[in-house]
Amino acid sequence: MILPTSQLLRFFYSHHFFGGLRQATGVLLPALVLSGLFGLHAAGFVAAVGAACVAILDQPGGPLRYGINGMLAALCLGSITTALTGLASSHVLAIWLVVPVLCFGFSMLTVYGKHGGLLCFACLLIMTLTLRTPLTPADVLQHTLISFLGGAFYLLYSAAAHRLLWHREEQQALSVALFATADYIAARARFYDIHLDLDDSYRNLIRRQALMTEAHQAARDMVLREQPSDAITHANRLRQGLLNLFVDMVNLLDSMVATHTDYATLRRALPDSDILLFARDAMIKLASNVAGLALNVARNRRHRVRNSAKAELRALEFELQQLRESGMPQSDPELYALLVQVLRRLRNMARRVERMADHSVNPVPPQTDLVRTRQSLNRFLTRQKWRVGLLTQNLNYRSAHFRYALRVAVAALLAMVAGDLLARVLLVNTLDPGMANHGYWIILTVLIIMKPGFALTRQRNSWRLTGTLIGCGLSLLLFSLVQNPIAYLFILVISSVLGYSLVQVNYTLSAMFNTLFVLLVFHFLAPGSNAVVGERLADTVIGSILALTCSYILPSWERSTLGDLARALRAANQAFLQAGLDYVHACRAARTPHAANPPEAGETEVRWKLARKNVHIAFSNFASAFYRMMDEPVSRQRHVPELNRLLIQSHTLASQIAAVIPNLALIDDEPKGIRQALQAIQDALAGRKATPPNVIETEGSHATLAYPLRQMIKAAQRIDEEMQALDAPPSRAVAHAPAAG
């Protein structure tokens, strides 16, 4: 268990806090300079808004090239948006047309994934904040220019910060991935605790695996983007050290997932044995060591393993010796083989962790062809493609992105209506196209909360409301107890930093600090009045109600995407198995003298590892969507038992493939039973009738293959059955996930 102090250290040394500090500094500097030195308060606010628009694309943990391109796109599109909104703000009918159109158009950018969604929000943010003060046509050029200069400043500032602090950023991205790996190891340790529910442990493991996959991909994009060259320089030594740690981390993950343990059988067979206790304690120690390594990587300190798991491993060896002497290998060979498998896996994990600690102290110089290594590793990077065709293909009613864009446009239009009505009630100028200081905040709340999925929108709605309520309460307490402007400025800066830092860590706290920051800004603009606190709270409540209500308009339920994600996961497992068999054939050909045109083992191994990465990503996408569906109304859930079993069997199959392929590569030729088993697995995954063998060889080097092959056949057949069941009427029963590892 990680103590709260460790969690705080983990946050303050993470790229989340580091990135939040960078973003807050770049956004506040233009405002502080223009307002504090030159007294240009309005210009400072506009420049800060332009910088904030660009800062949204400056996400921590991403590769520099993509960050620069995204910020440049935000700067250009944001400036165009500012000009269009400013010109329309002086015409009542124009603003009521432009805002929904811009909301629809920018919301369609979500077809490009995470970066498209960030660009969408950046443009809609600057559009909304431009609505705050109506502009005359003569003021639009000046307003747009100041906003552009603020964004350009942030772009240059961020590019310089990234260039100077590249090693620090790569360390922090790797640290986050190591922490996620430690959390995953701790989640697997829960399975050996007989007092913890297997179903809950399994669900926790799946969520941890999804987070780990995302963190590993972010670290992969950072560490592999700029790889060391053969030149002997300080920068290359630093890059080589991080590359070694990353490779060790991936190998550690492989040693964990390259097996499937039947924890239910272990618990039933050994309820009072110390074996499970020793295995759990060993994994907890290993998780603690990896977490300590992650923290020291983030702090740029050298690390040595301190909590050795040797005592637990030796205790496990002694327990297995006792079982061997009692005749378990003969009376229950499968259970004994399972225990031996657990011990071997823990040994491999311990060796990997020790190797990682050694590499963190003494980076190993490269021993292979660097050019060839770079070409192989580059294939594991994420490629961001912005194709116009992808946007036009989604301009139809069946597209979830199109329906989301319509929801956002309708919600923004209703927010404008609500702002206008509120202005009438408060006897404010009803013809004010700026919506009397209320409409823009309601629109902003709607845009912040609304997400493509219903579950995400409802979740974000709850977090936003809670954070705003706490932030308003803290601001009222602050204004009543403190009257020092210097203290206000200090708290404003701290709130800005934490507001940016916590967006991806804890959105409720992020909303709280952002609310406090905004209210302090308004307090500086209009000191002595606390009415703005109540106004912002009321606007947020109205916006939250509108966002949640509009999420029912042409909703995109997760059930509509789960079928495609399930098919993608099945195809990924097929490709994983086929790539593994290609690797097996290449290894055998390499051992065969005078083989004609043998496939290259190194190339096929890279393809297999790439297929394994794709399986992890496909599994995480499917699992995340499934659990989001479970957060939606019960009436909108479909095929819950089938999808649940599909999730479990896909996890089992991928784990066993990763375990079987290396063993197959060591034998020169598989016997008939093993060959039939592999063919049956391929047939089942392809949707063909599978014919499993009656007997799988269990002698000699083939003994370790029988159990995993039987598990693979069973998993592949069940996957085929569940995929067929997805087209059948859904069952009303809700099944819980049985434990698997």
Side-chain angles (χ1 to χ4, degrees):
M1 181 177 179
I2 300 177
L3 298 175
T5 303
S6 300
Q7 291 284 8
L8 286 176
L9 287 174
R10 176 173 172 171
F11 168 69
F12 283 115
Y13 282 102
S14 71
H15 67 294
H16 298 296
F17 180 74
F18 188 78
L21 180 63
R22 181 181 66 247
Q23 289 172 303
T25 303
V27 170
L28 291 177
L29 269 178
L32 293 176
V33 170
L34 291 176
S35 180
L37 297 182
F38 301 102
L40 302 174
H41 304 295
F45 179 82
V46 174
V49 169
C53 171
V54 177
I56 290 174
L57 274 293
D58 185 21
Q59 290 298 306
L64 175 61
R65 181 165 61 88
Y66 287 171
I68 296 297
N69 292 342
M71 287 187 286
L72 185 60
L75 177 62
C76 297
L77 284 178
S79 299
I80 295 173
T81 303
T82 302
L84 288 175
T85 308
L87 289 172
S89 66
S90 58
H91 300 84
V92 176
L93 293 179
I95 197 64
W96 284 80
L97 177 64
V98 167
V99 169
V101 169
L102 289 179
C103 287
F104 175 83
F106 288 130
S107 296
M108 284 297 299
L109 293 178
T110 55
V111 300
Y112 297 112
K114 178 182 177 181
H115 287 87
L118 292 174
L119 183 58
C120 158
F121 180 67
C123 295
L124 293 181
L125 173 67
I126 204 168
M127 175 203 76
T128 307
L129 294 179
T130 305
L131 294 173
R132 179 176 176 268
T133 304
L135 301 174
T136 64
D139 296 331
V140 171
L141 179 60
Q142 180 183 4
H143 186 97
T144 304
L145 180 60
I146 295 174
S147 176
F148 175 84
L149 292 176
F153 165 79
Y154 186 91
L155 176 61
L156 296 175
Y157 155 81
S158 179
H162 282 295
R163 183 62 62 184
L164 292 174
L165 302 172
W166 63 268
H167 180 61
R168 187 71 177 148
E169 292 178 354
E170 290 186 6
Q171 282 181 313
Q172 289 168 337
L174 183 59
S175 172
V176 170
L178 286 168
F179 272 124
T181 305
D183 292 341
Y184 179 76
I185 298 173
R188 291 185 73 103
R190 289 170 54 94
F191 287 101
Y192 295 99
D193 192 334
I194 61 174
H195 302 293
L196 298 177
D197 183 70
L198 279 177
D199 295 345
D200 292 339
S201 297
Y202 181 71
R203 284 188 284 269
N204 178 61
L205 180 76
I206 295 302
R207 289 187 170 92
R208 291 297 182 186
Q209 182 169 334
L211 293 173
M212 181 180 64
T213 300
E214 182 179 353
H216 276 217
Q217 188 58 47
R220 185 178 288 110
D221 288 336
M222 286 288 289
V223 175
L224 301 187
R225 191 70 58 179
E226 295 291 339
Q227 296 172 35
S229 64
D230 52 1
I232 303 177
T233 64
H234 179 63
N236 280 331
R237 285 195 295 270
L238 294 177
R239 286 195 171 98
Q240 186 62 46
L242 293 179
L243 180 60
N244 290 337
L245 272 178
F246 176 80
V247 172
D248 289 336
M249 179 183 68
V250 173
N251 290 335
L252 175 63
L253 173 63
D254 293 343
S255 66
M256 284 190 293
V257 301
T259 184
H260 175 81
T261 304
D262 191 346
Y263 297 105
T265 298
L266 285 179
R267 291 188 177 195
R268 284 194 304 268
L270 305 168
D272 302 318
S273 174
D274 290 336
I275 290 180
L276 300 184
L277 179 65
F278 293 144
R280 183 202 65 181
D281 291 347
M283 294 197 74
I284 290 176
K285 280 189 175 181
L286 293 175
S288 176
N289 286 335
V290 175
L293 173 61
L295 182 59
N296 281 287
V297 167
R299 298 162 75 179
N300 197 27
R301 295 183 181 179
R302 295 185 175 184
H303 179 78
R304 285 285 188 189
V305 175
R306 295 183 178 180
N307 298 324
S308 174
K310 288 182 178 179
E312 285 75 14
L313 294 177
R314 288 176 179 173
L316 277 172
E317 292 173 359
F318 176 78
E319 292 289 337
L320 284 179
Q321 181 181 352
Q322 296 290 101
L323 294 176
R324 186 166 57 251
E325 293 175 354
S326 66
M328 178 179 279
Q330 292 76 33
S331 61
D332 197 345
E334 289 198 0
L335 177 60
Y336 183 77
L338 187 61
L339 294 174
V340 171
Q341 184 187 67
V342 170
L343 176 60
R344 288 175 177 173
R345 183 177 63 192
L346 290 175
R347 282 175 179 166
N348 290 334
M349 290 173 61
R351 284 195 291 267
R352 293 292 183 186
V353 173
E354 291 176 359
R355 178 183 172 91
M356 291 165 68
D358 290 339
H359 279 177
S360 70
V361 177
N362 300 307
V364 178
Q367 302 292 332
T368 58
D369 183 1
L370 285 174
V371 175
R372 185 174 178 179
T373 301
R374 279 195 293 270
Q375 291 174 347
S376 299
L377 293 177
N378 283 339
R379 295 160 64 178
F380 291 85
L381 298 174
T382 302
R383 307 295 179 185
Q384 184 72 27
K385 296 181 180 179
W386 295 75
R387 294 184 292 105
V388 178
L390 185 60
L391 187 65
T392 57
Q393 290 169 9
N394 282 271
L395 290 175
N396 59 78
Y397 178 78
R398 295 184 302 275
S399 169
H401 301 285
F402 180 81
R403 294 162 70 150
Y404 167 67
L406 282 178
R407 286 198 301 276
V408 173
V410 171
L413 187 60
L414 292 177
M416 295 174 70
V417 173
D420 186 68
L421 292 176
L422 187 60
R424 293 174 185 270
V425 171
L426 297 177
L427 300 179
V428 184
N429 181 10
T430 58
L431 297 179
D432 183 1
M435 289 166 287
N437 294 327
H438 283 274
Y440 84 95
W441 194 267
I442 297 175
I443 294 176
L444 181 61
T445 302
V446 166
L447 296 177
I448 289 174
I449 292 175
M450 291 199 74
K451 295 296 175 184
F454 177 87
L456 291 176
T457 299
R458 186 172 65 178
Q459 187 181 60
R460 181 64 68 94
N461 188 48
S462 173
W463 292 342
R464 178 74 179 178
L465 273 176
T466 303
T468 300
L469 181 63
I470 298 174
C472 289
L474 288 177
S475 63
L476 286 175
L477 187 64
L478 177 66
F479 295 152
S480 61
L481 296 179
V482 180
Q483 305 298 328
N484 189 340
I486 302 299
Y488 287 161
L489 182 61
F490 176 77
I491 296 174
L492 182 147
V493 173
I494 297 299
S495 298
S496 178
V497 173
L498 292 178
Y500 276 111
S501 302
L502 290 166
V503 169
Q504 299 179 36
V505 179
N506 189 313
Y507 189 80
T508 299
L509 291 178
S510 176
M512 180 191 76
F513 283 113
N514 282 329
T515 299
L516 187 59
F517 167 75
V518 170
L519 293 175
L520 282 169
V521 170
F522 282 113
H523 187 78
F524 276 110
L525 296 177
S529 174
N530 291 335
V532 67
V533 177
E535 292 175 1
R536 295 309 164 224
L537 180 58
D539 294 344
T540 301
V541 171
I542 294 172
S544 298
I545 294 173
L546 287 175
L548 189 60
T549 302
C550 291
S551 63
Y552 287 94
I553 299 175
L554 301 175
S556 298
W557 305 110
E558 293 295 340
R559 70 187 186 195
S560 62
T561 63
L562 275 168
D564 291 336
L565 292 175
R567 283 184 283 274
L569 177 56
R570 180 180 187 172
N573 269 313
Q574 280 183 276
F576 185 33
L577 177 59
Q578 185 58 54
L581 294 177
D582 292 342
Y583 168 62
V584 169
H585 296 152
C587 290
R588 292 172 182 170
R591 295 195 298 266
T592 303
H594 311 298
N597 299 323
E600 188 177 350
E603 172 64 20
T604 54
E605 183 181 13
V606 170
R607 287 202 295 266
W608 183 53
K609 290 182 177 180
L610 185 61
R612 181 178 58 202
K613 185 204 79 167
N614 294 336
V615 165
H616 291 328
I617 293 175
F619 180 81
S620 296
N621 292 339
F622 178 72
S624 299
F626 175 75
Y627 286 120
R628 285 198 300 269
M629 185 186 74
M630 298 306 294
D631 291 332
E632 294 176 347
V634 176
S635 61
R636 302 299 177 179
Q637 299 173 13
R638 294 291 184 271
H639 298 292
V640 173
E642 293 83 357
L643 292 168
N644 198 17
R645 290 191 290 266
L646 190 61
L647 180 71
I648 297 164
Q649 298 304 326
S650 297
H651 185 272
T652 301
L653 179 63
S655 298
Q656 297 295 14
I657 292 173
V660 163
I661 292 301
N663 290 327
L664 280 176
L666 296 177
I667 61 178
D668 291 331
D669 189 23
E670 62 265 357
K672 180 180 178 181
I674 294 179
R675 197 160 47 244
Q676 288 179 343
L678 292 171
Q679 185 60 51
I681 297 166
Q682 291 177 298
D683 290 340
L685 286 177
R688 299 186 296 266
K689 182 179 179 180
T691 307
N694 295 324
V695 178
I696 298 178
E697 289 78 6
T698 58
E699 297 179 357
S701 60
H702 306 142
T704 57
L705 295 172
Y707 175 78
L709 283 174
R710 280 196 292 269
Q711 293 293 315
M712 289 170 65
I713 294 172
K714 186 187 301 182
Q717 289 176 326
R718 289 184 176 178
I719 288 173
D720 185 40
E721 293 170 1
E722 303 306 338
M723 292 298 296
Q724 294 179 25
L726 291 183
D727 298 327
S731 171
R732 291 183 178 272
V734 178
H736 295 286

